[in-house]
Amino acid sequence: MVVKSPYYATRPVSGRLPATPCLRLVPRLTLLLALLLLSAVLQAAPQIQSWTTSKGSKVLFVPAPGLPMLDLRVVFDAGSARDGDRPGLALITNAMLTEAAGPWSADELAERMEFVGADLSNGALRDMAWVSIRSLTDPSVLEVSLSTLAATLAQPAFIEKDFERMRSSILATLQREQENPADIASKAFYQAIYGDHPYASNTTGTTASVQALSLEQARAFHRAYYVARNAVIAMVGDLSNAQARQIAEQISQDLPAGQAAPALPAPKPLSGPLVRHIEHPSSQTHIYLGQPGMQRGDADYFPLYVGNHVFGGSGLVSILSEEVREKRGLSYSVSSYFLPMRQPGPFRMNAQTRNSQAEEAVRVMLDALREFRQRGPTAEELEASQRNISGGFPLTIASNKKIVEYLAMIGFYDLPLDYLDRLVERVLAVTPEQVREAFMRRLDPERLVLITVGQKAASSEGGSVDGPADKPVDEQAAGQR
């Protein structure tokens, strides 16, 4: 039975307020401000040096003299997209790296870093996994930090009791996620838009998949993906180029050369809209609405990024906030974003609202997207977002820690080395017509996935508009998605 969803009924969104006389001065003032800001950012942007180690690891380095610190991050193409039929494997493998390594137990690793005042951290996402250190550059301190890092990367111990402790920790996280409507919605959203693509699975896996993981599977994953040619080394610190090269060699020399991970497949385009409701005993409904969006290095990246800032990425002054929150009081917080990844990551609009208002909130969000897609931003809206983005950019590179995260991203996604130098320039170059064309080309309001988690209003209808209605998904099952 095909169910006509009330969410896809079109209603016009009221027009935006006309520009005031003061706003007519904005283009002239913006041009002057943009030129001054661009000059300042170009002077402040870090100059990236890059090379490849003898083992095949890509290195990106920014010298930062004056502060005797080193921030170093090693990134591997070893995220949950590499889990295959074992969801959670990338996460538990990464977690095991700092449990015990070389001759040191987990406690001894922590004590070594604490004794010299250094930090060791690690994590995994869908695309990538990483291990990072932050250390003083004093030779005696740096030697301890680097030898510890090298051991965690190349010589993790993979002890059974540590593996079981990490398994228990992940299972506890999964249990909490099964009770959280936002986590339930997020997992269902990714599964709905990505289907059988590697991005569909959550990084934490499922209770069943984590319970089935073995220590040997983690060892095999480490052997396959934690190799030099699958690594990017990002460094920011008080080092010379020669010192940075020596450190990069030290970090990569004990890693097997290996091979870079194979390319991920492109996700299949959605064939039509899909509506799925998940019952949850909450007073508010969580709304997730979207589709595959764009990837890193995408030709449409800047028009989509800047355009989304106007539409739903600029907080209370965005169009979504104006329509959903200010005019109708349907949600305290509503937003949208693009999450670019190796393959197209999601475009998502999300909001929370009272259960009885969920249908109206979804209609307004959809209508706002339809209207923005057709007309694009006004000159004033675009200029305000460009000022906001460019004005805030210096803060995003204000610390070595932030810069090293940018370097890791640039290296991992093969972005140009002048990415930071030209970011503000490219933001300011976006035109209203480029935004409109990119949104028209990349987003289709008639082929969106809608996930709602909450108590369904008695008068609501659910299901897919192009196929059989979905059966209700209970809370526990939803947490396993």
Side-chain angles (χ1 to χ4, degrees):
M1 178 181 67
V2 176
V3 177
K4 180 62 177 177
S5 170
Y7 296 125
Y8 285 88
T10 304
R11 295 193 322 192
V13 174
S14 56
R16 305 286 284 167
L17 293 175
T20 66
C22 290
L23 286 178
R24 296 192 186 105
L25 298 175
V26 167
R28 301 173 194 172
L29 296 175
T30 298
L31 178 60
L32 177 59
L33 178 62
L35 291 173
L36 292 173
L37 179 62
L38 181 57
S39 175
V41 170
L42 287 175
Q43 295 177 26
Q47 300 303 302
I48 302 173
Q49 303 171 21
S50 184
W51 64 90
T52 301
T53 70
S54 60
K55 276 292 191 72
S57 298
K58 181 190 295 186
V59 183
L60 282 80
F61 167 60
V62 168
L67 182 66
M69 298 289 296
L70 170 66
D71 285 271
L72 190 156
R73 174 169 289 205
V74 187
V75 182
F76 296 88
D77 189 338
S80 63
R82 305 297 176 181
D83 281 344
D85 59 357
R86 300 185 177 100
L89 181 57
L91 179 64
I92 200 168
T93 301
N94 179 267
M96 288 295 294
L97 301 184
T98 55
E99 284 301 296
W104 306 298
S105 68
D107 288 341
E108 289 168 338
L109 286 175
E111 288 170 1
R112 280 174 61 82
M113 298 299 279
E114 183 179 359
F115 182 74
V116 295
D119 293 328
L120 174 68
S121 60
N122 56 317
L125 298 171
R126 280 179 167 84
D127 270 349
M128 65 178 72
W130 70 88
V131 181
S132 298
I133 63 166
R134 186 161 217 239
S135 172
L136 292 170
T137 52
D138 177 90
S140 61
V141 173
L142 191 57
E143 189 282 326
V144 173
S145 301
L146 293 175
S147 61
T148 303
L149 173 64
T152 62
L153 297 177
Q155 304 171 45
F158 288 109
I159 298 171
E160 186 71 40
K161 65 180 179 64
D162 294 334
F163 185 80
E164 292 304 325
R165 184 172 65 254
M166 293 311 306
R167 188 206 307 272
S168 296
S169 176
I170 295 172
L171 289 173
T173 297
L174 285 166
Q175 182 61 42
R176 291 192 297 271
E177 291 176 349
Q178 291 169 18
E179 300 169 359
N180 186 315
D183 288 323
I184 295 170
S186 179
K187 291 182 182 185
F189 177 78
Y190 272 92
Q191 187 182 60
I193 66 171
Y194 287 112
D196 59 0
H197 189 271
Y199 285 166
S201 295
N202 195 60
T203 306
T204 50
T206 68
T207 298
S209 70
V210 173
Q211 288 174 336
L213 294 176
S214 71
L215 186 61
E216 183 50 45
Q217 289 168 351
R219 289 194 182 105
F221 189 94
H222 178 264
R223 287 194 298 269
Y225 295 108
Y226 284 81
V227 296
R229 290 178 181 153
N230 200 40
V232 172
I233 302 172
M235 286 185 283
V236 179
D238 188 13
L239 304 171
S240 66
N241 180 273
Q243 290 172 312
R245 287 178 179 271
Q246 182 180 358
I247 289 171
E249 289 294 329
Q250 179 181 347
I251 295 302
S252 62
Q253 68 181 355
D254 291 334
L255 292 172
Q259 296 295 329
L264 292 171
K268 298 174 183 176
L270 298 173
S271 60
L274 175 67
V275 178
R276 176 173 298 158
H277 177 73
I278 300 169
E279 276 295 309
H280 188 276
S282 58
S283 60
Q284 289 199 327
T285 294
H286 288 248
I287 299 167
Y288 281 36
L289 184 63
Q291 63 187 97
M294 63 172 167
Q295 61 194 108
R296 287 288 178 187
D298 200 295
D300 286 326
Y301 176 83
F302 285 99
L304 291 174
Y305 169 56
V306 178
N308 182 69
H309 192 274
V310 177
F311 176 66
S314 52
L316 298 180
V317 298
S318 70
I319 289 173
L320 267 183
S321 183
E322 174 73 12
E323 297 297 335
V324 176
R325 172 188 161 126
E326 300 301 326
K327 291 183 178 179
R328 297 169 177 85
L330 295 173
S331 177
Y332 179 79
S333 175
V334 59
S335 63
S336 66
Y337 68 87
F338 286 93
L339 180 60
M341 297 195 288
R342 181 82 81 185
Q343 291 295 331
F347 165 74
R348 193 175 86 186
M349 297 186 285
N350 52 270
Q352 297 178 48
T353 188
R354 291 202 303 268
N355 293 322
S356 61
Q357 297 178 322
E359 288 185 8
E360 183 182 2
V362 171
R363 287 193 190 100
V364 173
M365 293 164 72
L366 277 169
D367 290 342
L369 178 61
R370 289 187 180 104
E371 182 176 325
F372 185 77
R373 182 173 173 267
Q374 289 292 330
R375 71 164 176 86
T378 66
E380 290 80 8
E381 289 169 340
L382 181 62
E383 288 158 1
S385 284
Q386 289 170 321
R387 289 198 309 274
N388 187 278
I389 294 169
S390 55
F393 175 68
L395 294 178
T396 69
I397 55 172
S399 70
N400 291 356
K401 182 178 183 294
K402 293 178 179 179
I403 295 172
V404 82
E405 290 172 357
Y406 262 117
L407 295 188
M409 180 197 73
I410 290 168
F412 184 85
Y413 291 112
D414 294 317
L415 300 178
L417 294 182
D418 66 356
Y419 179 84
L420 295 178
D421 290 329
R422 299 192 60 199
L423 188 145
V424 170
E425 170 194 339
R426 288 166 172 159
V427 165
L428 295 175
V430 172
T431 67
E433 185 59 22
Q434 288 174 338
V435 172
R436 191 190 71 81
E437 290 177 353
F439 269 69
M440 286 288 291
R441 186 166 52 247
R442 304 300 291 272
L443 297 180
D444 185 352
E446 313 313 318
R447 289 194 299 172
L448 294 178
V449 164
L450 169 63
I451 303 296
T452 55
V453 178
Q455 297 186 63
K456 198 167 185 63
S459 62
S460 298
E461 300 176 70
S464 167
V465 299
D466 61 350
D470 289 331
K471 294 181 179 179
V473 183
D474 63 38
E475 177 186 350
Q476 185 173 2
Q480 297 301 307
R481 291 185 175 276

